[in-house]
Amino acid sequence: MKHSDPRQGIDWKPDPAIPLPLFRQIEIYIREKITTGEWTAGYRLPSQRVLAQSMGVNRSTLVAALDNLIAAGMIEGRRGGGTYVSGSGWHALAHGTPPNWNEAIEEGWYYPNLPEVQLINRAEFQPGIIRLGTGELAPELMPEEAFNDILRSLSERARTLNYLQPQGSLELREALSDYLLTCGIQASPSAILIVSGSLQALHLISVGLLPRGSAVLLEKPSYLYSIHAFQSAGLKMHGVPMDAGGLHIPRLEDLIESGTHQGHPSPLLYTIPSFHNPTGSVMSDTRRNELMSAARAGGVSILEDAAYTDLWLDMPPPLSLKARDTDGRVLHMGTLSKAVSPGLRLGWLVGPEPVIRRLADIKMQTDYGTSSLAQEAATLWFAEGYHTRHMECLRPELRRRRDFMLDLLERYFNSIAEWNKPAGGFYIWFRFTAGPLSIRQLFHACLEDGVLIHPGFLYDRLDADHLRLSYAYASEEEMERGMQLLAKAAKKLLVNNK
């Protein structure tokens, strides 16, 4: 498993205004990276092409700097290609035997992100990038004015800066209990755990409830394939195909009967039934009932991810799985990250009280509780009606953006692709029908043009045709420009591959 990617550039450039040759500035920069221990023995430098491009210099200028560093024994070329920080020579002697951090990184048990996910995470912060796949609200869609009101209100009242209860603020859990009741879910405050976003809930479940080797069933494609919380905990993933109505129940039943969990507790099913990530689909009411019946018959527990449930655009989705749960089988996970603000880092988990107490204990061992200020703000957000008002304003804007992106798709892609019309959430699941076309090549070609897309193989490793497009982040101007560049890159690849 490789943890350093030579395709990654750096965020530094030499300054032509400084009375020092550019190659000397580069040499000094790399030398400092090594002597301060930021680049340790065995670290692989980005390729010469990537380094020269990110530094904004000619390759010959870069090579002059690298040659000097090689002569000084600080870096070395290796058979098979690549340039590495040297583990021998005067540098190693001067500092003693350096710690082998690269080996430590390789031995770490938590899986790294896929290379494309790492590229996406960095590229999202590049100035001028057009983000056509980003799964979050644009800044102008977030309730900035409402939170300014909330923060002013908090400044005028007594508040705590201390640690809170293991399960989180009682006032927030009471407010959430009332909110969940409007969604058909009856959950007392004692059955709610406040978490620092859905990712923390996934991590707590993976280490607190499921022994290593346990089976996790999930929709294919699925958001879980793009993160490694469950895989890193030693859990085994089993994909269940989907159709227009959602999860394919006969295939789910086959997996249960085939003994995917043989020798381990009954499997956990992870599902996003409302406005699924990445497909945008909605599990039908009938299918939800069938799923609950299959889970009862097969002894399967369910983790319901409701991150997008409030983001309906045409009509509300069917009643949640948790609202149909009569035997404590469903864990229900919610968050403010999608509909309100990802920066607030606040979510919740609903489940049987023993489960919630167990996970609260583990949470206290990891972070000693979600930010008390964030919890106080979220309490007012729900208790004083901000959430309802925000959703009433947000839905029409997201609907308008969705329809605008659908118009652009019809204009630029109607002869080479097909796509769905989502009834809510953020995503359009887009498939190329003309081919052959490499989605990985398209991803990198678009990135070079300043357009960021999310390839389908992030959500299903074998998917070679899909993109996840989002209408929640890019402005209309950015959408149109991005779609033009995406279409141009795709058609160029199609022609070249004929």
Side-chain angles (χ1 to χ4, degrees), residues 109-114 117 197-214 216 218 222-237 268 270 303 305 333 458 461:
W109 62 268
Y110 207 95
Y111 287 23
N113 272 323
L114 296 172
V117 174
S198 297
L199 280 175
Q200 185 179 51
L202 291 174
H203 176 73
L204 292 173
I205 290 166
S206 69
V207 300
L209 300 180
L210 304 174
R212 294 185 71 84
S214 295
V216 176
L218 67 160
S222 174
Y223 163 68
L224 269 195
Y225 282 114
S226 68
I227 61 171
H228 294 135
F230 282 1
Q231 298 97 315
S232 295
L235 307 178
K236 297 179 179 178
M237 316 277 277
L268 174 75
Y270 171 81
L303 174 56
D305 190 339
M333 190 167 66
L458 300 182
R461 302 296 165 82

Side-chain angles (χ1 to χ4, degrees), residues 17-265:
I18 295 176
L20 187 67
L22 298 182
F23 80 92
R24 284 286 294 136
Q25 293 185 49
I26 295 170
E27 181 184 343
I28 291 169
Y29 171 80
I30 295 177
R31 187 184 293 268
E32 287 180 350
K33 283 285 187 182
I34 296 171
T35 57
T36 59
E38 291 190 26
W39 291 1
T40 55
Y43 173 83
R44 185 177 185 181
L45 276 66
S47 69
Q48 291 184 7
R49 180 185 64 81
V50 170
L51 272 178
Q53 186 177 42
S54 61
M55 289 181 176
V57 299
N58 293 326
R59 197 159 175 174
S60 59
T61 301
L62 174 68
V63 169
L66 297 180
D67 285 347
N68 286 348
L69 291 164
I70 290 172
M74 301 192 77
I75 61 175
E76 59 188 13
R78 291 188 183 175
R79 185 176 299 175
T83 303
Y84 296 79
V85 174
S86 176
S88 59
W90 72 266
H91 179 254
L93 292 173
H95 292 78
T97 303
N100 193 335
W101 288 114
N102 287 330
E103 183 177 307
I105 290 168
E106 296 292 340
E107 293 298 324
W109 62 268
Y110 207 95
Y111 287 23
N113 272 323
L114 296 172
E116 287 80 10
V117 174
Q118 294 185 40
L119 280 173
I120 289 169
N121 289 341
R122 289 193 307 275
E124 285 185 332
F125 296 95
Q126 292 177 6
I129 198 82
I130 297 175
R131 296 162 64 171
L132 290 184
T134 295
E136 65 183 77
L137 292 176
E140 63 269 21
L141 298 183
M142 294 182 193
E144 182 177 348
E145 185 176 337
F147 267 92
N148 284 339
D149 289 343
I150 288 173
L151 293 174
R152 279 193 294 268
S153 179
L154 289 177
S155 70
E156 296 168 357
R157 62 176 69 191
R159 60 185 183 277
T160 179
L161 297 177
N162 297 100
Y163 296 125
L164 296 173
Q165 301 175 45
Q167 288 180 220
S169 159
L170 176 59
E171 291 78 11
L172 176 55
R173 287 184 284 124
E174 289 173 340
L176 281 170
S177 180
D178 293 339
Y179 159 72
L180 289 166
L181 199 56
T182 68
C183 306
I185 298 173
Q186 187 165 342
S188 65
S190 59
I192 300 172
L193 172 66
I194 305 303
V195 291
S196 300
S198 297
L199 280 175
Q200 185 179 51
L202 291 174
H203 176 73
L204 292 173
I205 290 166
S206 69
V207 300
L209 300 180
L210 304 174
R212 294 185 71 84
S214 295
V216 176
L217 310 177
L218 67 160
E219 292 137 336
K220 192 173 184 180
S222 174
Y223 163 68
L224 269 195
Y225 282 114
S226 68
I227 61 171
H228 294 135
F230 282 1
Q231 298 97 315
S232 295
L235 307 178
K236 297 179 179 178
M237 316 277 277
H238 301 273
V240 183
M242 302 170 66
D243 59 24
L247 202 68
H248 193 268
I249 302 303
R251 181 60 183 141
L252 172 65
E253 292 171 332
D254 288 344
L255 278 171
I256 297 171
E257 291 175 8
S258 68
T260 57
H261 58 290
Q262 205 162 31
H264 295 282

Side-chain angles (χ1 to χ4, degrees), residues 414-475:
N414 63 351
S415 62
I416 61 172
E418 62 184 13
W419 52 88
N420 65 315
K421 179 183 178 180
F426 292 164
Y427 309 120
I428 294 173
W429 194 229
F430 172 100
R431 186 177 79 88
F432 285 102
T433 54
L437 186 152
S438 167
I439 296 296
R440 185 169 268 104
Q441 288 181 348
L442 181 63
F443 169 78
H444 290 286
C446 286
L447 193 56
E448 288 184 3
D449 288 336
V451 178
L452 192 58
I453 57 176
H454 284 224
F457 59 74
L458 300 182
Y459 311 100
D460 177 352
R461 302 296 165 82
L462 300 179
D463 191 312
D465 303 315
H466 285 92
L467 300 178
R468 188 192 82 175
L469 298 174
S470 168
Y471 45 83
Y473 194 87
S475 67

Side-chain angles (χ1 to χ4, degrees), residues 185-443:
I185 298 173
Q186 187 165 342
S188 65
S190 59
I192 300 172
L193 172 66
I194 305 303
V195 291
S196 300
S198 297
L199 280 175
Q200 185 179 51
L202 291 174
H203 176 73
L204 292 173
I205 290 166
S206 69
V207 300
L209 300 180
L210 304 174
R212 294 185 71 84
S214 295
V216 176
L217 310 177
L218 67 160
E219 292 137 336
K220 192 173 184 180
S222 174
Y223 163 68
L224 269 195
Y225 282 114
S226 68
I227 61 171
H228 294 135
F230 282 1
Q231 298 97 315
S232 295
L235 307 178
K236 297 179 179 178
M237 316 277 277
H238 301 273
V240 183
M242 302 170 66
D243 59 24
L247 202 68
H248 193 268
I249 302 303
R251 181 60 183 141
L252 172 65
E253 292 171 332
D254 288 344
L255 278 171
I256 297 171
E257 291 175 8
S258 68
T260 57
H261 58 290
Q262 205 162 31
H264 295 282
S266 296
L268 174 75
L269 169 67
Y270 171 81
T271 178
I272 309 175
S274 296
F275 317 120
H276 178 261
N277 179 9
T279 67
S281 65
V282 178
M283 190 183 297
S284 69
D285 187 70
T286 299
R287 188 67 56 85
R288 294 180 192 223
N289 287 332
E290 292 172 348
L291 173 56
M292 293 302 296
S293 296
R296 293 187 191 101
V300 173
S301 302
I302 298 174
L303 174 56
E304 178 182 32
D305 190 339
Y308 303 92
T309 300
D310 281 344
L311 292 166
W312 56 268
L313 303 181
D314 299 325
M315 64 179 65
L319 203 62
S320 72
L321 299 176
K322 185 61 180 173
R324 304 163 195 258
D325 183 23
T326 57
D327 54 1
R329 184 173 304 279
V330 178
L331 301 177
H332 179 88
M333 190 167 66
T335 181
L336 291 180
S337 293
K338 299 303 179 183
V340 183
S341 166
L344 201 59
R345 305 310 307 137
L346 193 139
W348 55 91
L349 186 70
V350 180
E353 290 185 12
V355 170
I356 294 301
R357 287 195 297 270
R358 161 70 170 157
L359 298 184
D361 176 62
I362 298 173
K363 177 173 167 58
M364 290 296 282
Q365 296 178 58
T366 57
D367 70 0
Y368 236 83
T370 299
S371 162
S372 58
L373 290 176
Q375 293 191 58
E376 289 191 355
T379 300
L380 294 183
W381 176 258
F382 284 107
E384 299 193 2
Y386 286 101
H387 188 72
T388 300
R389 293 192 293 273
H390 169 63
M391 296 311 304
E392 289 172 351
C393 294
L394 178 61
R395 290 189 188 108
E397 178 60 24
L398 282 177
R399 189 182 304 119
R400 187 182 63 78
R401 288 175 177 238
R402 176 200 63 182
D403 294 345
F404 184 76
M405 180 170 272
L406 290 171
D407 288 343
L408 292 174
L409 288 172
E410 187 64 36
R411 189 185 315 168
Y412 295 113
F413 296 92
N414 63 351
S415 62
I416 61 172
E418 62 184 13
W419 52 88
N420 65 315
K421 179 183 178 180
F426 292 164
Y427 309 120
I428 294 173
W429 194 229
F430 172 100
R431 186 177 79 88
F432 285 102
T433 54
L437 186 152
S438 167
I439 296 296
R440 185 169 268 104
Q441 288 181 348
L442 181 63
F443 169 78

